[in-house]
Amino acid sequence: MIPLVAVAHGSRDPRSAASIHSLLAVVRSLRPELDVRGCFLDLCAPRLTDVLHGPSVVVPLLLGKAYHARVDVPAAVAESRVPAVVTPVLGPDPRLESAALRRLSEAGVDFDDRSLGVVLAGAGSSHAPANEAVAAVARRWARQSAWAGVEAAFASIASPSVPEAVARLRARGARRIAVASWFLAPGLLPDKVSAAAGDALVAAPLGNDVEVAQLVLDRYDEALARQTVAA
């Protein structure tokens, strides 16, 4: 069976790698017969080139198609010189939204609170379509929820910032604020979001949510199906 090689960005924060390994433990529990290998693009080991030893399906553990997905992952696969197929990133997908909403619920958010404003906080990118994908989720939540409003915000590069999004929500009448996480794992940028959120409720990153784990497997299965058709 062709291995599933899951590659995350990587962080100096040990919580990040621990969260990725926890997610992959759920992936393995869903498909025990599958060889699932975890690795990172940078800052911690093992690297992608350390675990690519033959035909593989590489699943980027990235929520959006920004620089790492468009440049870093393909470059690392090319460097390995093995016949590996790279799948699309995890997002967009409704299961990511479900996971983010579950994390909000775990943080104590009342989904029927009409005075609540929700900030959906992501990393931010110089690649505008990656930011727009997060904003599209926020607009969808705004249409579908009873909340006073939902705003996308970004930890770096893009705008609005978390404080700017909070100010917009308060101007629209929100009396309480919650921050939803559009991050897979803890680290520098999620910590920056938490620090900027003030007294708001802040949800945890998506982490080892079972729907995220299933999404990783679906990306793998879809890649295998495409290869079979192509063959």
Side-chain angles (χ1 to χ4, degrees):
M1 183 175 291
I2 295 177
L4 186 165
V5 176
V7 57
H9 176 268
S11 170
R12 292 185 179 88
D13 187 332
R15 296 174 301 163
S16 179
S19 182
I20 295 300
H21 290 311
S22 180
L23 170 62
L24 296 182
V26 179
V27 173
R28 293 184 186 99
S29 74
L30 294 173
R31 195 80 61 85
E33 74 283 4
L34 181 60
D35 179 4
V36 178
R37 305 173 187 174
C39 60
F40 304 90
L41 287 170
D42 199 8
L43 301 175
C44 50
R47 301 291 181 87
L48 179 55
T49 50
D50 296 330
V51 301
L52 278 177
H53 305 306
S56 305
V57 173
V58 177
V59 181
L61 299 182
L62 303 168
L63 302 187
K65 194 174 182 180
Y67 186 85
H68 298 302
R70 292 181 294 112
V71 177
D72 289 340
V73 174
V77 170
E79 180 185 344
S80 73
R81 299 181 182 277
V82 300
V85 175
V86 181
T87 77
V89 297
L90 300 183
D93 192 278
R95 286 165 289 189
L96 296 178
E97 298 181 44
S98 295
L101 290 169
R102 271 190 292 279
R103 295 299 188 225
L104 270 179
S105 178
E106 291 164 3
V109 165
D110 181 354
F111 283 71
D112 295 321
D113 186 353
R114 295 180 178 274
S115 66
L116 180 72
V118 173
V119 176
L120 178 61
S125 172
S126 58
H127 186 57
N131 301 324
E132 170 55 27
V134 181
V137 174
R139 291 194 296 270
R140 187 155 49 247
W141 286 9
R143 292 194 300 270
Q144 295 174 352
S145 72
W147 296 323
V150 183
E151 289 278 345
F154 303 96
S156 67
I157 302 176
S159 60
S161 66
V162 170
E164 289 168 340
V166 170
R168 292 181 185 182
L169 290 167
R170 292 203 184 280
R172 296 213 300 271
R175 296 197 300 272
R176 283 175 290 279
I177 303 293
V179 179
S181 180
W182 203 247
F183 294 97
L184 192 59
L188 176 65
L189 292 183
D191 283 353
K192 183 178 178 181
V193 166
S194 295
D199 60 356
L201 285 172
V202 179
L206 308 186
N208 62 354
D209 186 272
V210 68
E211 279 199 287
V212 177
Q214 186 60 63
L215 176 55
V216 173
L217 288 169
D218 284 353
R219 291 288 184 261
Y220 170 85
D221 291 338
E222 290 159 5
L224 285 185
R226 286 194 298 272
Q227 290 302 105
T228 301
V229 170

